[in-house]
Amino acid sequence: MSLNDTLKNLRENGIDEAKRAQKLQELNDLRVNLLGKKGPITKALRGMKDVPAEQRPEIGTLANNVKKDIQAAIEEKMAELNQKLIAKKLEEETIDVTLPATKKVQGTKHILNQTIEDIEQFFIGLGYEVAGGYEVEEDHYNFERLNIPKDHPARDMQDTFYLSDELLMRTQTSAQEGRDMEAHDFTKGPLKMISPGVVYRRDDDDATHSHQFHQIEGLVVDKNISMADLKGTLDALCRHVFGPDREIRFRPSYFPFTEPSVEVDVSCFNCGGTGCRICKYTGWIEVLGAGLTHPNVLKMSGIDPNEYSGMAFGLGPERFAMLKYGVNDIRDFYLNDVRFLEQFKGVN
């Protein structure tokens, strides 16, 4: 058999073997066996010395074409097998989109955060600013600037966590009042602020008490502030939180930083004022404390009480939420029990 015929047979057999291959490894072995240095094509070309000189270019061209044709057949078959492998893998990993999806539980803001943000938005709508304050506070701002000097008996009303002689965990967000009155420029208008945040008191935890709870303090300082301004503001707040039919009443009370001081009651939203278990059959529920800012508090901030007056109020978001939603134990707010918390999804 001539060298020309040998090369043509090698091409025909190589292409045929490539087409019959069922595995990629078979194609790799075929390429090495046919096209490698020790393959039959290389061996056949060693007979070029016996070919007349004028035929050698033709044989050389044929040999190159044989290699290219076999390589092309191998690559074509490889592409076909790879495509089949991909199709098989896709079939095995196919997701049945007709099956129900895994349900993802959507969380919600904590009910206390919802309550605080709702109250914040109410006061922002009235032109108030929101001031955070410091949880680790100076005795000077927490007590003395609120007209509660050292050894004053009013300090017994708040059992305090002291960190040093002058530093403590704030017992009330009222501590921010002194800082804001110092910093405010009254030539640009009145001071209107609320200060929400966490406060701390050494107390025994039970259904209605906690050593750590939230408070929102409010303060307005301007010329000619009166009890009418205070009552109108708190009346609007209680109607916003507890319902448009609510009424409020003031009862005389005592706070060192306000004079006069009042306790604020709201008409019972459960019975409408006729008397029930929630209001202890009085028709009223105590919700917060308030009053007109004491002249001494204004003086200590460099404000002339003969020219300016103020009003202050403090409320507990926990108490508001307990009353509004019928929560009987304040500790439920802090236990992170999803069964409890999911009841208040988007209530505000």
Side-chain angles (χ1 to χ4, degrees), residues 225-246:
I225 295 296
S226 69
M227 290 293 283
D229 298 304
L230 179 63
K231 190 173 189 301
T233 300
L234 299 182
D235 184 64
L237 171 65
C238 290
R239 291 175 186 270
H240 171 76
V241 174
F242 298 114
D245 297 329
R246 301 283 65 79

Side-chain angles (χ1 to χ4, degrees), residues 108-293:
T108 186
K109 288 183 179 179
H110 194 284
I111 182 58
L112 291 182
N113 286 338
Q114 292 187 58
T115 301
I116 291 170
E117 290 177 6
D118 180 54
I119 294 172
E120 285 179 349
Q121 289 303 312
F122 170 80
F123 280 106
I124 289 173
L126 296 181
Y128 285 62
E129 294 183 355
V130 179
Y134 304 98
E135 292 184 25
V136 177
E137 186 55 276
E138 299 177 25
D139 181 283
H140 175 70
Y141 285 103
N142 195 80
F143 287 122
E144 294 182 35
R145 290 293 298 275
L146 296 174
N147 202 34
I148 312 175
K150 294 184 185 298
D151 302 323
H152 193 288
R155 293 203 181 197
D156 294 338
M157 299 166 62
Q158 302 176 12
D159 207 351
T160 307
F161 291 108
Y162 274 93
L163 305 178
S164 68
D165 289 342
E166 296 301 327
L167 290 178
L168 50 82
M169 303 302 293
R170 67 180 178 188
T171 61
Q172 53 199 355
T173 56
S174 312
Q176 186 63 24
E177 289 185 6
R179 297 181 182 276
D180 279 24
M181 284 190 285
E182 285 178 344
H184 187 71
D185 183 356
F186 285 93
T187 64
K188 296 182 179 180
L191 169 62
K192 301 172 70 176
M193 56 81 72
I194 58 170
S195 180
V198 180
V199 298
Y200 306 84
R201 297 182 187 178
R202 188 177 177 275
D203 208 343
D204 295 325
D205 291 1
D206 58 28
T208 57
H209 298 85
S210 174
H211 67 281
Q212 173 183 320
F213 55 97
H214 295 79
Q215 191 179 74
I216 299 178
E217 179 72 15
L219 174 70
V220 177
V221 178
D222 195 7
K223 297 178 180 179
N224 302 315
I225 295 296
S226 69
M227 290 293 283
D229 298 304
L230 179 63
K231 190 173 189 301
T233 300
L234 299 182
D235 184 64
L237 171 65
C238 290
R239 291 175 186 270
H240 171 76
V241 174
F242 298 114
D245 297 329
R246 301 283 65 79
E247 296 180 358
I248 67 170
R249 72 176 183 182
F250 284 176
R251 288 181 291 107
S253 186
Y254 168 75
F255 302 109
F257 36 84
T258 54
E259 180 62 38
S261 302
V262 294
E263 297 283 357
V264 182
D265 300 335
V266 62
S267 59
C268 182
F269 41 82
N270 185 61
C271 66
T274 59
C276 66
R277 180 184 58 83
I278 293 178
C279 63
K280 299 178 181 178
Y281 301 97
T282 65
W284 298 92
I285 300 174
E286 179 185 328
V287 290
L288 59 94
L292 296 185
T293 307

Side-chain angles (χ1 to χ4, degrees), residues 186 221-225 298 303-309:
F186 285 93
V221 178
D222 195 7
K223 297 178 180 179
N224 302 315
I225 295 296
L298 297 174
I303 300 172
D304 184 356
N306 294 318
E307 183 178 0
Y308 289 92
S309 54

